[in-house]
Amino acid sequence: MKHRQAAASKAEYRTLDNRVTCLLAWPPHEISAWVQMLQGHQQQIACSILRRRHPRPTQLNLPAIGEEVPDPFQVNRPTVPVTSADGRLLTKVHAVPGLTPVVIDVDGTIRCVNTGRTLWIAPGSRIDRANPGASEQRNSLYKPSLHQVVADHRQHVDAVTR
């Protein structure tokens, strides 16, 4: 059966690209399970993104999707370095135009990759305990739709404690 090439809108592609960015640190079997939950056009876009961005896409056992979905943001996209919680460089990901790249620390605090500025303070974190009232002021200004999560270090803690 021949699949026709999907024309992804930039908004739809951006949404799936952000999700895939968060999933890249997951074990291959969990990524595969997530892809299997998607249907039709979304699954086709996600498979195309994963084939381009995952370091070992053959381990993911992705379904055959026909033609690859082109990346509407591919033209000279800048990259953002992704570091581990201890500061080691893990990889680089493509920055999504119009979104600020952020990392989520082990304790859940969200920081800007470019400036290091704290954008959201996790309730009960050491920053929250050291600066009473700061989370109420800062967290009300944070808008998740304007940020691209390039690394979520909370996942590494969960994987170790399982």
Side-chain angles (χ1 to χ4, degrees):
M1 173 161 63
K2 185 174 181 175
H3 297 275
R4 66 181 183 86
Q5 183 172 345
S9 72
K10 284 190 176 187
E12 184 176 24
Y13 192 94
R14 177 181 293 182
T15 299
L16 283 166
D17 191 53
N18 280 339
R19 287 184 192 166
V20 168
T21 298
C22 296
L23 302 178
L24 289 175
W26 288 13
H29 70 279
E30 290 183 17
I31 295 173
S32 297
W34 177 80
V35 169
Q36 295 301 325
M37 292 188 323
L38 298 175
Q39 298 295 316
H41 190 64
Q42 286 189 335
Q43 187 179 61
Q44 189 173 7
I45 295 169
C47 287
S48 293
I49 293 169
L50 283 164
R51 283 191 177 95
R52 284 192 288 270
R53 296 192 45 215
H54 194 274
R56 293 179 199 90
T58 55
Q59 291 181 347
L60 301 178
N61 298 322
L62 297 173
I65 59 166
E67 295 181 41
E68 293 292 312
V69 176
D71 182 347
F73 300 104
Q74 192 61 40
V75 182
N76 296 324
R77 287 178 39 198
T79 58
V80 177
V82 177
T83 57
S84 65
D86 61 0
R88 290 178 292 119
L89 179 66
L90 296 176
T91 187
K92 291 185 178 184
V93 297
H94 289 287
V96 176
L99 297 181
T100 303
V102 297
V103 296
I104 303 175
D105 293 342
V106 174
D107 63 2
T109 298
I110 300 174
R111 298 181 190 281
C112 175
V113 169
N114 299 328
T115 64
R117 181 175 162 229
T118 300
L119 302 173
W120 189 82
I121 300 170
S125 67
R126 59 184 166 77
I127 294 174
D128 186 39
R129 290 189 308 266
N131 302 291
S135 63
E136 288 84 15
Q137 290 177 336
R138 181 148 331 238
N139 293 358
S140 64
L141 302 174
Y142 177 68
K143 305 287 184 242
S145 61
L146 301 177
H147 297 90
Q148 173 189 9
V149 177
V150 296
D152 186 344
H153 298 301
R154 296 171 302 168
Q155 296 167 356
H156 299 293
V157 172
D158 292 342
V160 172
T161 57
R162 283 185 203 166

